[in-house]
Amino acid sequence: MDNIVVLTGAGISAESGLATFRGPEGLWEGHRVEDVATPEAFARDPELVHRFYDARRAQLAQAQPNRAHEALAYLDAEWDGELLIVTQNVDDLHERAGARRLLHMHGELTNALCLNCAERSPVAGDLADTPPCPWCRAPELRPDIVWFGEMPYGLDRIEEALMRADLFVSIGTSGAVYPAAGFVQSARYRGAHCVELNLEPSQGSSFFHDSRQGAASDLVPAFVDELLDTQA
Ligand code: BV8
């Protein structure tokens, strides 16, 4: 099992108190996803979208990484082979737990993107207050988030890692959003062993050789121990 690709979703951050996307009544923090996580929504009502992300950023500042984030960071530090943690999450809990070989394919809540000069910058305060871009001073900052209909980040790097993977592990994702939900099919096609660790079977469960149900903070530390035992 030399090369590993891990895909994480909102479920890995649930035990840190951050809402998942498809909670009860399919609302997300009281909003329909389409009303806040699309370029059209931002064009229609930038203030509403900024307030939505400002609230999530404030909530994130109070959240802590959980044992699942910590276990993946430990794997990152100890694994001699190739490892890439691809996260759909826009929170920074993987980094705060110490993960290094990490790629945010849907962007980062803590960053802003300037619509004028296309530079990224860390968000200081609320974007709803239309602060000037630190690079070009234009008051044109948007959340550095990949919305529905927008191109995810790092797809070439992800595809390359999937082509080389011996093991693909999917953690805390419902398998509802593409192209992330299709990664297991690429990995399986190329002969990787595919494992799913999730509270309930995801929409893509049938593509996994091994699908384990349970809380990430229980399943992930145990799985990392299993992996590191194979390396010993
Ligand atoms: C793209 C940033 C073109 C936002 C996100 C039809 C119409 C329109 C579009 C489409 C369509 N069909 C396909 C598409 C494309 C669309 C898509 O997939 N739509 C879906 C809804 C059908 N995708 C896109 O638009 C993407 N872009 O396609 O561009 C393209 C394509 C290919 C190549 C080039 C170009 C862009 C998608 C990105 C959207 N942005 N996030 C924000 O965060 O504000 S997506 C959003 O959903 C989050 O990133 C989230 O991570 C992601 C997926 O959700 P999950 O992470 O899986 O979270 P969810 O709540 O669903 O599930 C949580 C799971 O955890 C559950 O299974 C639960 O059981 C489990 N769980 C809960 N607690 C625990 C747990 N597990 C373990 N332990 C626990 N304690």
Side-chain angles (χ1 to χ4, degrees), residues 7-16 18-23 28 33-34 36-39 52-53 56 66 68 87-91 105-109 143-153 155 170-181 183 196-203 212-220:
L7 173 69
T8 66
I12 199 169
S13 297
E15 291 162 271
S16 296
L18 300 185
T20 61
F21 285 78
R22 287 152 197 92
W28 180 30
V33 176
E34 317 60 78
V36 284
T38 64
F52 176 69
Y53 286 99
R56 283 176 62 199
N66 63 56
T87 187
Q88 299 173 89
N89 299 339
V90 296
D91 65 55
M105 67 177 290
H106 290 161
E108 297 177 66
L109 194 53
D144 182 23
I145 299 272
V146 176
W147 285 324
F148 287 96
E150 296 187 319
M151 177 82 85
Y153 293 144
L155 290 180
S170 178
I171 303 170
T173 179
S174 61
V177 173
Y178 287 84
F183 292 165
E196 172 177 78
L197 309 177
N198 206 57
L199 203 56
E200 74 230 338
S202 74
Q203 293 180 26
R212 305 183 191 181
Q213 273 75 55
S217 63
D218 295 332
L219 294 184
V220 179

Side-chain angles (χ1 to χ4, degrees), residues 64-147:
Q64 296 300 326
N66 63 56
R67 290 178 345 115
H69 296 106
E70 285 158 3
L72 286 184
Y74 181 63
L75 177 68
D76 191 354
E78 298 294 315
W79 189 253
D80 300 333
E82 292 176 17
L83 170 75
L84 181 62
I85 301 169
V86 180
T87 187
Q88 299 173 89
N89 299 339
V90 296
D91 65 55
D92 60 353
L93 298 179
H94 281 301
E95 294 87 327
R96 283 162 53 192
R100 295 277 172 276
R101 294 183 272 184
L102 175 69
L103 192 160
H104 281 276
M105 67 177 290
H106 290 161
E108 297 177 66
L109 194 53
T110 51
N111 273 354
L113 178 64
C114 181
L115 292 169
N116 181 52
C117 70
E119 288 288 349
R120 285 183 176 76
S121 54
V123 176
D126 287 345
L127 293 185
D129 300 335
T130 56
C133 165
W135 299 94
C136 71
R137 315 302 304 159
E140 304 276 336
L141 295 178
R142 64 163 272 183
D144 182 23
I145 299 272
V146 176
W147 285 324

